[in-house]
Amino acid sequence: MLREFTAGDVELVVGLHSDPAVMEFLTGGKAQARSDVVEKVLPAFTRDYPDRGAWAAFEKESGAFAGWFALSPVAGHDRTVVDLGYRLCTAVWGRGLATEGARALIDKAFGELGVERIVADTMTVNVRSRRVLEAVGLRYVRTFFGEWPETIPGAEHGDVDYALDRSEWAAR
């Protein structure tokens, strides 16, 4: 189940962003500061994604917090290009929830929101995330080497861009 974020979700997101396994390909496993979640992450989820969105994800059966999914604006593009992102609790890994949630957002983006292109990126070595992106129809575009504030294990292999255009989605 997906729902909009509320201010009451702070501790759920702090917990998720504190899990070393969840943060492995983002910060090398370092927890994100609580102040960053409070001052940057949740405000961005509720303020910066107008009519696109970030959603808190919960398991249908138990109601337990599973993570989040987002369609975020892409710098330098109009509102028809969005970035697909997700972060899930390790307790739900391997159960298809990332694929299910990503597929739901893709269908919403193209079916309701007027999006023309969805992009996503991850570290080259993040095989689990790459499998999800490929499973939901995004195609590999390129490998690149960006400038990051801190180098984390695997960075020497670069990052990968994926994309899906409306016409490709409609042809499925």
Side-chain angles (χ1 to χ4, degrees):
M1 297 183 320
L2 299 174
R3 69 155 170 78
E4 291 182 7
F5 275 96
T6 68
D9 293 327
V10 168
E11 296 311 320
L12 297 174
V13 178
V14 167
L16 179 66
H17 290 211
S18 296
D19 184 325
V22 171
M23 301 304 287
E24 176 183 4
F25 298 110
L26 300 162
T27 64
K30 288 190 248 170
Q32 185 170 26
R34 185 179 198 288
S35 60
D36 283 348
V37 171
V38 171
E39 297 167 14
K40 297 176 185 172
V41 175
L42 282 177
F45 282 171
T46 58
R47 174 195 67 228
D48 296 343
Y49 300 8
D51 84 348
R52 293 297 180 256
W55 293 270
F58 295 85
E59 291 184 88
K60 289 178 187 174
E61 299 83 33
S62 68
F65 179 67
W68 58 257
F69 292 88
L71 295 172
S72 58
V74 176
H77 291 277
D78 66 15
R79 298 166 55 78
T80 65
V81 180
V82 296
D83 183 86
L84 172 66
Y86 47 86
R87 205 164 290 168
L88 295 177
C89 299
T90 55
V92 302
W93 286 7
R95 295 178 30 203
L97 296 182
T99 301
E100 180 182 347
R103 196 170 277 138
L105 262 61
I106 289 168
D107 290 345
K108 181 175 186 67
F110 290 130
E112 298 175 30
L113 301 178
V115 168
E116 293 297 324
R117 183 176 178 86
I118 295 174
V119 298
D121 63 77
T122 190
M123 289 183 72
T124 299
V125 295
N126 189 347
V127 175
R128 290 185 308 264
S129 190
R130 292 183 72 175
R131 281 190 199 136
V132 169
L133 297 174
E134 292 164 2
V136 299
L138 276 76
R139 62 181 160 66
Y140 167 83
V141 174
R142 69 180 180 126
T143 299
F144 67 97
F145 294 84
E147 294 291 325
W148 305 111
E150 292 184 41
T151 302
I152 63 174
E156 67 275 13
H157 300 288
D159 295 280
V160 287
D161 279 334
Y162 281 80
L164 178 65
D165 294 324
R166 173 185 287 282
S167 60
E168 296 166 317
W169 172 79
R172 298 191 293 173

